[in-house]
Amino acid sequence: LNSQSNAVVWRASSVPALSSLSPNENGRVDFSIKVKNDFNINQINDKNFLLKVDAQIESPTVPPSVSATKTIGYGKLETKVSGNVILDTAGYFRDAASGIINSGSLPLRHGSKTQFTVHWLIKNFANDVRDVRIFSKLGPNVILKTSKTNVSGTNVSYNERTGDISWDIPKLQANKGVLTSPYEAIFQVEVEPSLAQVGKSMVLVEITKLSAVDDFTGMNISLSDSALETSRLDDTTVSFTDGIVQ
C-alpha cells in the first residue's frame, strides 16, 4: 500500500500465481477497503457519494507484430453509497410551539375528551428520496381533528372508517433535517377513553412505517418507528400516570 497515492500495488513476486498466464487463463488479487463510518455533510449539495477504484495491470509481454513495449489493461469500479432516512414519531399535550392548542383532562378520564398533537419528523441524509409514503393507524377511541405539513402541496390523509392515516411526499431533498429543519407533519388527535381502558395507557398512533426509493441508488427504503402511547409522550410536562386512564 502506497499511502501517499492511495495505490495498492502487487507484482509477480508477491503473487506467484500471476507470474505467467496462458491464453484464456484467469487470475485474481483480493484486497479489502474500510469505508468511513460517516461522510462529511457541510452543505446541501454534499450528496450522491461514490466509492471509486481504478485498476491497471501491466505485462512486458506484447502480441506479435505490436511495437509497444508492454501490454496494459484498465478496469474501473464505482459503488454508489445509499443515503439514510430517519423517521421519528413524537407526541405532546402542551405544544404551543406548533400553533395548535390542546385541551382536556389530565390524567385521562373515561368518557372525557383530551387532545394531543402528534409529529412525524423526517431527516434525509446524502441522497434525494422519492415516492415517500408514511403510514399508520390511530388507536382505539382516537380520532383526527386537524393536520398540517411543512412540505408544499402535501397533506395528511385520514380514513375515518378505518383509522388509517398517511402522508405522501413525491420527493425528499438530500440533507433536509441535517443542515435545515426536518420534514414535518403535525396532526391533532382527540381521545375519549372507554370504561374498558381504565387503568391502561392509550395508543395514539400505532407503529408508523415509511417506504421510499433512494433516487441515486434505486434501492427501496423501508423503516418504522414504534407506536406512540399517552404514557410515553415526548412532552416532559406530562407524567407517566397522567397518561393512564382514570
Side-chain angles (χ1 to χ4, degrees):
L1 171 65
N2 186 324
S3 58
Q4 292 183 338
S5 62
N6 284 333
V8 177
V9 182
W10 57 268
R11 295 179 176 83
S13 59
S14 58
V15 188
L18 297 181
S19 61
S20 178
L21 291 177
S22 301
N24 299 317
E25 187 178 1
N26 296 319
R28 62 187 291 167
V29 173
D30 297 319
F31 61 95
S32 61
I33 301 172
K34 180 176 176 57
V35 179
K36 291 181 178 180
N37 293 325
D38 297 299
F39 293 83
N40 293 331
I41 297 177
N42 299 313
Q43 54 187 0
I44 206 72
N45 290 326
D46 288 338
K47 64 177 186 177
N48 298 351
F49 293 100
L50 275 173
L51 303 179
K52 298 180 180 181
V53 176
D54 294 317
Q56 177 178 318
I57 186 171
E58 298 180 0
S59 170
T61 305
V62 296
S65 72
V66 174
S67 60
T69 59
K70 57 184 176 181
T71 301
I72 303 176
Y74 298 96
K76 176 179 289 188
L77 175 66
E78 292 188 348
T79 302
K80 294 180 178 180
V81 178
S82 295
N84 185 33
V85 179
I86 296 177
L87 169 67
D88 184 37
T89 306
Y92 301 87
F93 174 70
R94 296 175 179 88
D95 193 16
S98 71
I100 300 175
I101 304 300
N102 297 310
S103 61
S105 63
L106 283 179
L108 298 177
R109 299 188 183 278
H110 79 273
S112 297
K113 297 178 180 179
T114 304
Q115 297 165 353
F116 298 90
T117 45
V118 178
H119 296 238
W120 278 339
L121 299 157
I122 306 171
K123 297 180 180 180
N124 183 36
F125 295 76
N127 297 345
D128 292 342
V129 171
R130 58 180 166 84
D131 302 333
V132 182
R133 180 172 177 79
I134 301 96
F135 173 83
S136 187
K137 295 175 75 74
L138 298 186
N141 300 319
V142 181
I143 62 171
L144 182 73
K145 298 293 290 182
T146 186
S147 65
K148 61 182 180 179
T149 80
N150 66 355
V151 182
S152 178
T154 70
N155 298 288
V156 172
S157 299
Y158 173 60
N159 186 319
E160 185 176 357
R161 180 178 60 83
T162 63
D164 293 348
I165 186 167
S166 61
W167 183 25
D168 293 312
I169 310 172
K171 192 166 187 175
L172 300 182
Q173 184 181 10
N175 303 323
K176 180 75 171 180
V178 183
L179 303 174
T180 61
S181 58
Y183 292 96
E184 184 174 22
I186 304 174
F187 49 97
Q188 183 187 52
V189 297
E190 185 175 81
V191 306
E192 187 173 359
S194 67
L195 188 60
Q197 291 174 308
V198 171
K200 301 177 182 178
S201 174
M202 293 188 67
V203 175
L204 295 179
V205 180
E206 296 181 4
I207 293 174
T208 300
K209 298 180 180 180
L210 181 148
S211 62
V213 178
D214 188 311
D215 212 22
F216 182 52
T217 66
M219 294 183 63
N220 292 324
I221 299 170
S222 180
L223 53 96
S224 62
D225 194 22
S226 56
L228 179 64
E229 298 186 22
T230 53
S231 62
R232 295 188 296 111
L233 298 177
D234 300 82
D235 189 341
T236 57
T237 70
V238 180
S239 67
F240 174 86
T241 54
D242 285 339
I244 304 299
V245 180
Q246 307 292 314

